[in-house]
Amino acid sequence: MIWKIKKELLEGVCELAKETYPNEFVSALRAKEGLIYELVLIPGTQSSDRSAVFRIGMLPPDREIVGTVHSHPLPDPRPSGEDFFLFEKYGGVHIIVAYPYDMGSWRSYDSAGEEVKLEVMD
Ligand SMILES: [Zn+2]
Protein backbone atom coordinates (compact mmCIF):
# COMPACT_ATOMS: atom_id res chain seq x y z
CA MET A 1 0.00 0.00 0.00
CA ILE A 2 1.29 3.43 -0.93
CA TRP A 3 0.24 6.24 1.34
CA LYS A 4 -0.65 9.62 -0.07
CA ILE A 5 -0.72 13.06 1.51
CA LYS A 6 -2.19 16.37 0.43
CA LYS A 7 0.58 18.76 -0.56
CA GLU A 8 -0.92 21.70 1.33
CA LEU A 9 -1.06 19.58 4.47
CA LEU A 10 2.62 18.69 4.19
CA GLU A 11 3.45 22.36 3.62
CA GLY A 12 1.38 23.21 6.68
CA VAL A 13 3.37 20.69 8.71
CA CYS A 14 6.60 22.40 7.62
CA GLU A 15 5.20 25.76 8.73
CA LEU A 16 4.16 24.39 12.12
CA ALA A 17 7.55 22.75 12.56
CA LYS A 18 9.22 26.12 11.86
CA GLU A 19 6.98 27.86 14.39
CA THR A 20 7.69 25.23 17.02
CA TYR A 21 11.46 25.21 16.44
CA PRO A 22 13.68 24.60 18.40
CA ASN A 23 11.09 22.39 20.11
CA GLU A 24 9.60 19.33 18.47
CA PHE A 25 6.28 19.60 16.73
CA VAL A 26 4.18 16.45 16.98
CA SER A 27 0.75 15.54 15.67
CA ALA A 28 -1.27 12.53 14.65
CA LEU A 29 -2.38 12.01 11.04
CA ARG A 30 -5.90 11.30 9.87
CA ALA A 31 -6.53 9.56 6.54
CA LYS A 32 -9.33 8.22 4.40
CA GLU A 33 -8.63 5.45 1.92
CA GLY A 34 -4.90 5.94 2.19
CA LEU A 35 -4.94 9.71 1.70
CA ILE A 36 -3.69 11.70 4.67
CA TYR A 37 -5.85 14.82 4.75
CA GLU A 38 -5.76 16.22 8.27
CA LEU A 39 -3.64 16.71 11.36
CA VAL A 40 -4.96 15.75 14.74
CA LEU A 41 -3.37 18.22 17.10
CA ILE A 42 -2.94 17.05 20.62
CA PRO A 43 -4.93 19.09 23.13
CA GLY A 44 -3.14 21.00 25.83
CA THR A 45 0.34 20.39 24.53
CA GLN A 46 2.30 23.43 23.54
CA SER A 47 5.97 23.23 22.99
CA SER A 48 7.44 21.33 25.88
CA ASP A 49 10.22 18.91 26.45
CA ARG A 50 7.79 16.01 26.90
CA SER A 51 8.47 13.17 24.53
CA ALA A 52 6.46 12.66 21.37
CA VAL A 53 5.46 9.23 22.66
CA PHE A 54 3.94 10.68 25.79
CA ARG A 55 2.04 13.36 23.91
CA ILE A 56 0.58 11.07 21.26
CA GLY A 57 -0.53 8.80 24.08
CA MET A 58 -2.89 11.58 25.26
CA LEU A 59 -5.06 11.28 22.15
CA PRO A 60 -8.56 9.86 22.29
CA PRO A 61 -9.14 6.73 20.17
CA ASP A 62 -9.93 7.58 16.55
CA ARG A 63 -10.29 5.04 13.78
CA GLU A 64 -9.05 7.41 11.11
CA ILE A 65 -5.74 8.03 12.84
CA VAL A 66 -3.21 6.23 10.70
CA GLY A 67 0.07 7.48 12.06
CA THR A 68 2.07 10.41 13.30
CA VAL A 69 4.21 13.31 12.19
CA HIS A 70 6.91 15.04 14.20
CA SER A 71 9.79 17.38 13.64
CA HIS A 72 13.49 17.09 14.40
CA PRO A 73 15.35 20.29 15.26
CA LEU A 74 18.45 18.91 13.52
CA PRO A 75 18.88 18.23 9.79
CA ASP A 76 18.50 14.48 10.38
CA PRO A 77 15.17 12.79 9.55
CA ARG A 78 16.22 9.35 10.82
CA PRO A 79 14.07 7.90 13.62
CA SER A 80 15.51 7.79 17.13
CA GLY A 81 15.12 4.83 19.47
CA GLU A 82 12.10 6.48 21.03
CA ASP A 83 10.64 7.09 17.57
CA PHE A 84 10.71 3.36 16.82
CA PHE A 85 8.61 2.80 19.92
CA LEU A 86 6.14 5.46 18.80
CA PHE A 87 5.94 4.05 15.26
CA GLU A 88 5.17 0.56 16.49
CA LYS A 89 2.49 1.75 18.82
CA TYR A 90 0.53 4.27 16.77
CA GLY A 91 -0.48 3.35 13.28
CA GLY A 92 1.14 2.52 9.99
CA VAL A 93 2.71 5.66 8.51
CA HIS A 94 4.99 8.13 10.18
CA ILE A 95 6.55 11.31 8.89
CA ILE A 96 9.64 12.99 10.29
CA VAL A 97 10.28 16.53 9.11
CA ALA A 98 13.85 17.56 9.79
CA TYR A 99 15.36 21.03 9.94
CA PRO A 100 15.13 23.26 7.77
CA TYR A 101 11.57 21.95 7.28
CA ASP A 102 11.20 22.17 3.53
CA MET A 103 9.75 19.80 0.96
CA GLY A 104 13.11 18.04 0.70
CA SER A 105 13.78 17.47 4.38
CA TRP A 106 11.09 14.97 5.35
CA ARG A 107 10.97 11.19 5.23
CA SER A 108 8.21 8.66 5.82
CA TYR A 109 8.41 5.34 7.63
CA ASP A 110 6.26 2.32 8.38
CA SER A 111 5.57 0.91 11.82
CA ALA A 112 8.87 -0.98 11.76
CA GLY A 113 10.81 2.21 11.05
CA GLU A 114 11.59 1.25 7.45
CA GLU A 115 11.50 4.10 4.98
CA VAL A 116 8.37 3.99 2.80
CA LYS A 117 7.12 5.95 -0.16
CA LEU A 118 4.61 8.71 0.49
CA GLU A 119 3.02 10.25 -2.57
CA VAL A 120 2.41 13.99 -2.44
CA MET A 121 -0.88 14.94 -4.10
CA ASP A 122 -1.52 18.42 -5.52
ZN1 LIG B 1 12.07 11.77 16.28
Side-chain angles (χ1 to χ4, degrees):
M1 157 147 194
I2 295 178
W3 291 95
K4 299 182 181 75
I5 187 168
K6 286 190 174 177
K7 188 174 182 216
E8 59 191 36
L9 184 63
L10 195 53
E11 288 168 344
V13 165
C14 291
E15 285 310 307
L16 287 164
K18 277 176 202 164
E19 281 172 25
T20 314
Y21 178 85
N23 291 302
E24 265 191 27
F25 165 74
V26 62
S27 174
L29 300 170
R30 198 174 269 154
K32 257 188 191 142
E33 291 162 13
L35 174 64
I36 298 162
Y37 69 96
E38 195 172 68
L39 298 178
V40 188
L41 297 169
I42 300 157
T45 53
Q46 297 256 0
S47 29
S48 77
D49 57 3
R50 292 281 199 176
S51 75
V53 173
F54 175 85
R55 282 180 278 164
I56 293 280
M58 308 273 289
L59 281 174
D62 180 332
R63 271 192 209 153
E64 286 189 352
I65 290 180
V66 295
T68 66
V69 57
H70 74 278
S71 65
H72 280 178
L74 298 169
D76 182 359
R78 287 174 302 174
S80 66
E82 192 179 65
D83 291 343
F84 281 111
F85 179 77
L86 172 74
F87 291 0
E88 261 184 9
K89 214 167 168 203
Y90 298 99
V93 60
H94 302 276
I95 304 169
I96 296 177
V97 192
Y99 185 85
Y101 313 126
D102 60 31
M103 293 304 274
S105 68
W106 61 272
R107 299 283 182 279
S108 49
Y109 303 91
D110 65 14
S111 55
E114 297 288 334
E115 203 171 326
V116 291
K117 190 172 162 57
L118 179 63
E119 244 175 69
V120 180
M121 311 291 285
D122 276 319

